[in-house]
Amino acid sequence: MRVAIAGTGGLAYWIAHHIQAKTGHQLVFLSRNTNPTLGHQGFQVLVVDYNDRRSLEFALTGIDVVISTVPGTAQINLIDAAVRARVRRFASAEFEGRPSARPSRDALDRGKAQVLQHLERNRSRLESTVFVCGVLYERFAPGGMFASNIGLGSYISGEGDYMINARTMTAEVPYSNGDNQLVRICMTAASDVGRFIMRSLEIQRWPTELIMSGENMTTFDLLSLIARVRGRSFEQQNVVYYNPNSLAAQLTAAQRANDVPRQYRLINLTATQNGRHHYTQSNLNAAFPDVTPLRFEQWFSRQWADH
């Protein structure tokens, strides 16, 4: 099997690492530049122009599976090229909650709905799926997702941008939802996302959503776990617990102040509060019980051991 990974960020690296190290599949990165660092690590890198569909079609000739980590128009062009090159399978750049659970008017869409609609129109010619992993553990790493070259440009890639800052021990926590229930989230380490995707290549036919999870907990339990591992408490004045009304009020204030980065952070918290990152069944965990995901406490302890 020949696999192409579009994009060269941190998540793309973990996917490629596991495929190259643990399978016999041929692997190529599609990149906007030569990326010598990947070449020095033994990966094949093919330079492409995402605005040139002929260039993309040439690059995908003979490819069986495309795993995309590039969003927007570039991904639309990649899908069109995959159809013309007769690629069998395509996984779109998602890697968060279940698309089927999102609202029709999604403030965090960033062109994702258009991509999924485009894939649906081409389903008879191109099998496709979405890899669902919930919240990446890396959001809570020293340096945030930025340190792993993940989620750049999302306004929540920096340390402490999402919910909890484990260095300053400050937090803004969506605590309860509209049903007055505790908010829950599913989470997965980026490395385990790569492991599950590698194993998913064994599945005879991909469903529309391939779901994985390393952890499923309430936001309150997450806060408590971080405090326990850090050996430090969250002082009362440094933690805000949001219900839907109080979170909506903060978002309105950020909009009035035209504070765009804060708006995006609060919109992400609102999405979490509304269940964007929570699900109860993980078909990849069920399909591959021999894959034991890293628990968040173990991962977090390692990440913050020297901080």
Side-chain angles (χ1 to χ4, degrees):
M1 185 183 298
R2 297 194 65 201
V3 181
I5 298 179
T8 57
L11 192 55
Y13 168 79
W14 279 117
I15 298 167
H17 167 76
H18 287 289
I19 293 174
Q20 180 128 314
K22 300 172 185 176
T23 76
H25 303 316
Q26 293 179 284
L27 178 77
V28 61
F29 273 104
L30 305 183
S31 174
R32 291 183 172 91
N33 53 63
T34 56
N35 210 311
T37 300
L38 289 175
H40 292 154
Q41 294 176 9
F43 293 109
Q44 180 184 357
V45 179
L46 189 60
V47 177
V48 297
D49 180 355
Y50 286 103
N51 294 317
D52 184 343
R53 296 186 182 185
R54 289 187 178 181
S55 164
L56 289 172
E57 186 176 350
F58 176 79
L60 295 179
T61 300
I63 294 293
D64 299 295
V65 179
V66 174
I67 300 170
S68 174
T69 66
V70 297
T73 302
Q75 189 166 207
I76 294 289
N77 293 342
L78 187 64
I79 293 168
D80 290 338
V83 171
R84 288 196 298 271
R86 298 186 179 182
V87 171
R88 291 195 303 112
R89 287 176 162 177
F90 191 102
S92 62
E94 287 275 348
F95 311 106
E96 49 155 314
R98 298 183 64 188
S100 60
R102 292 179 199 155
S104 56
R105 298 180 63 183
D106 183 10
L108 298 174
D109 178 70
R110 299 180 69 194
K112 291 181 179 180
Q114 182 185 7
V115 167
L116 294 178
Q117 289 167 6
H118 199 54
L119 285 169
E120 185 60 34
R121 285 193 294 269
N122 287 283
R123 185 165 299 280
S124 63
R125 296 183 289 174
L126 181 64
E127 183 180 308
S128 60
T129 196
V130 167
F131 288 108
V132 174
C133 59
V135 172
L136 290 173
Y137 289 178
E138 281 69 16
R139 291 198 189 194
F140 305 101
M145 293 194 299
F146 183 86
S148 298
N149 196 25
I150 299 173
L152 307 185
S154 65
Y155 291 104
I156 57 164
S157 62
E159 180 177 305
D161 284 347
Y162 177 73
M163 198 185 316
I164 300 169
N165 190 318
R167 191 182 304 275
T168 62
M169 299 302 286
T170 56
E172 292 184 288
V173 180
Y175 178 77
S176 60
N177 59 26
D179 295 325
N180 202 31
Q181 301 292 317
L182 293 179
V183 173
R184 300 190 68 91
I185 58 172
C186 294
M187 303 187 293
T188 314
S191 175
D192 285 333
V193 173
R195 291 170 68 204
F196 276 115
I197 291 176
M198 177 266 294
R199 292 299 300 275
S200 78
L201 299 175
E202 303 171 17
I203 298 174
Q204 187 172 4
R205 185 166 183 83
W206 278 353
T208 55
E209 294 179 347
L210 283 167
I211 307 168
M212 67 195 83
S213 179
E215 202 71 73
N216 181 342
M217 62 172 57
T218 68
T219 54
F220 181 79
D221 287 342
L222 174 62
L223 189 75
S224 300
L225 185 156
I226 288 174
R228 183 175 71 253
V229 173
R230 293 288 281 152
R232 298 166 60 189
S233 61
F234 285 92
E235 300 297 333
Q236 184 176 356
Q237 67 271 19
N238 293 330
V239 181
V240 179
Y241 295 101
Y242 289 126
N243 61 32
N245 291 334
S246 59
L247 186 50
Q250 286 293 312
L251 179 55
T252 298
Q255 290 167 338
R256 288 174 177 169
N258 199 30
D259 187 342
V260 175
R262 179 156 176 76
Q263 288 177 46
Y264 271 94
R265 289 194 292 272
L266 291 168
I267 288 169
N268 272 276
L269 294 183
T270 302
T272 299
Q273 189 174 62
N274 292 335
R276 186 185 189 96
H277 305 298
H278 182 246
Y279 36 88
T280 57
Q281 295 184 339
S282 303
N283 53 11
L284 281 174
N285 294 68
F288 302 107
D290 56 311
V291 177
T292 304
L294 189 64
R295 299 301 298 269
F296 180 79
E297 183 171 354
Q298 183 181 7
W299 174 90
F300 186 82
S301 298
R302 291 177 183 174
Q303 292 291 316
W304 287 91
D306 299 324
H307 295 273

